[in-house]
Amino acid sequence: MSERTADDEAEIEATKAPLMEHLIELRKRLVWSIVTFIVCFLICFAFAKPIYAFLTEPLARALAGQPNAHLIYTALYETFFTYVKVGMFAGLCLAFPIIAGQLWLFVAPGLYRNERRAFLPFLMATPVLFLIGAGFVFYVMLPFAIKFFVGYETVGGHGTLGIQLQAKVSEYLDFVTTLIFAFGLTFQLPVLLSLLGRVGIVTAKQLRSMQRYAILGIVALAAVVTPPDVFSMLSLMVPLIFLYEVSIWCVKLIERGRAKEDAKRAASS
């Protein structure tokens, strides 16, 4: 981090307040976040059916023309609570920018000006990378995963029983949202490593030296998180390895910027 000026110190001093005021400010931000989530949940719950229909499009395409091209539910309340989950999932995604903004408004006054400039881009990159990960899993990996699992259907014949998919409403939603969250969170790798590089915990040289172990960890993560087919594993492994390389590049740029700042301060002193 760059050297702090007298103006920075004065700005931080001006934001200091008793513990009770900080707790009141925290309560205010929490109330705003909860209210925002509730409003977004109610909006999304009103459109839960079309949202769920959108999430089932990959399965609908895989089962097109088959007699089992539908979903089932085995409990009277299952579909209702599935729509509640859809509303909560979509509501959280819709409310996240505002919730992140409330978090930033609470934390930012305690940061120096240069720290705010440093961390704000990472906060803005988080939802973007999450959307990229979610879009990747939904449009690229999920259709192939569904095709892989549907391929285990068998036709019955002389003395044998057929095996036919009867997908449940709630289980399909859990499957899709788990993959979306898994990919969305793992795509935060550049943000996490860049932040660690920004505060000096890791360096580009260290990340490069640990590359083989990182790749091994990515392979293990892909084997655990994704469905057990080669394409699904590769669809997570390849982007994560690429994002790890991007992270090294980002940390290297941060180190170059820090070196330039140090050189300027040395020249001016």
Side-chain angles (χ1 to χ4, degrees):
M1 305 298 287
S2 60
E3 187 178 348
R4 291 147 187 166
T5 65
D7 292 338
D8 292 332
E9 296 291 347
E11 185 180 355
I12 290 295
E13 286 294 328
T15 61
K16 287 186 176 180
L19 176 61
M20 185 58 64
E21 292 189 18
H22 286 299
L23 292 177
I24 293 173
E25 178 69 13
L26 176 60
R27 184 185 65 179
K28 176 184 176 182
R29 300 305 170 193
L30 288 174
V31 168
W32 271 105
S33 299
I34 293 172
V35 170
T36 300
F37 171 71
I38 292 174
V39 171
C40 291
F41 163 72
L42 293 175
I43 294 172
C44 294
F45 181 70
F47 297 94
K49 287 185 179 181
I51 294 174
Y52 188 77
F54 171 76
L55 293 175
T56 59
E57 283 184 2
L59 181 62
R61 287 194 296 268
L63 298 179
Q66 298 186 28
N68 60 333
H70 58 269
L71 295 166
I72 66 170
Y73 65 99
T74 57
L76 291 175
Y77 51 81
E78 182 177 343
T79 302
F80 170 77
F81 281 109
T82 298
Y83 287 151
V84 171
K85 290 182 182 179
V86 170
M88 294 178 66
F89 170 73
L92 181 61
C93 294
L94 185 62
F96 178 80
I98 299 177
I99 295 175
Q102 294 298 315
L103 175 63
W104 175 253
L105 290 173
F106 177 73
V107 173
L111 300 176
Y112 291 95
R113 186 182 297 109
N114 62 307
E115 291 174 336
R116 291 199 295 269
R117 288 198 301 265
F119 289 119
L120 185 58
F122 297 109
L123 182 65
M124 298 175 64
T126 297
V128 175
L129 288 173
F130 186 90
L131 288 175
I132 293 174
F136 184 85
V137 68
F138 188 79
Y139 291 106
V140 178
M141 193 277 284
L142 189 59
F144 285 91
I146 290 176
K147 185 177 180 180
F148 170 80
F149 288 122
V150 171
Y152 278 92
E153 288 187 321
T154 58
V155 179
H158 306 283
T160 61
L161 296 175
I163 301 175
Q164 190 178 51
L165 173 67
Q166 295 291 331
K168 290 185 63 178
V169 172
S170 58
E171 290 178 352
Y172 178 80
L173 178 67
D174 292 341
F175 174 68
V176 174
T177 54
T178 298
L179 286 177
I180 289 176
F181 273 122
F183 274 69
L185 292 177
T186 52
F187 270 53
Q188 303 300 316
L189 184 64
V191 173
L192 175 61
L193 294 182
S194 297
L195 279 174
L196 294 177
R198 185 75 196 186
V199 299
I201 296 178
V202 298
T203 64
K205 184 178 180 180
Q206 289 174 335
L207 293 177
R208 181 66 68 185
S209 65
M210 294 187 300
Q211 189 174 24
R212 67 180 70 179
Y213 303 107
I215 292 176
L216 180 62
I218 289 172
V219 172
L221 177 67
V224 172
V225 172
T226 62
D229 64 285
V230 175
F231 181 84
S232 297
M233 293 178 62
L234 290 176
S235 65
L236 181 60
M237 286 169 48
V238 174
L240 279 186
I241 293 173
F242 171 75
L243 290 174
Y244 188 83
E245 293 293 332
V246 171
S247 302
I248 296 175
W249 179 73
C250 290
V251 174
K252 191 175 294 185
L253 289 179
I254 291 171
E255 292 173 347
R256 288 178 182 175
R258 186 184 299 139
K260 289 181 180 178
E261 291 180 2
D262 293 341
K264 286 181 181 179
R265 287 198 302 270
S268 61
S269 61

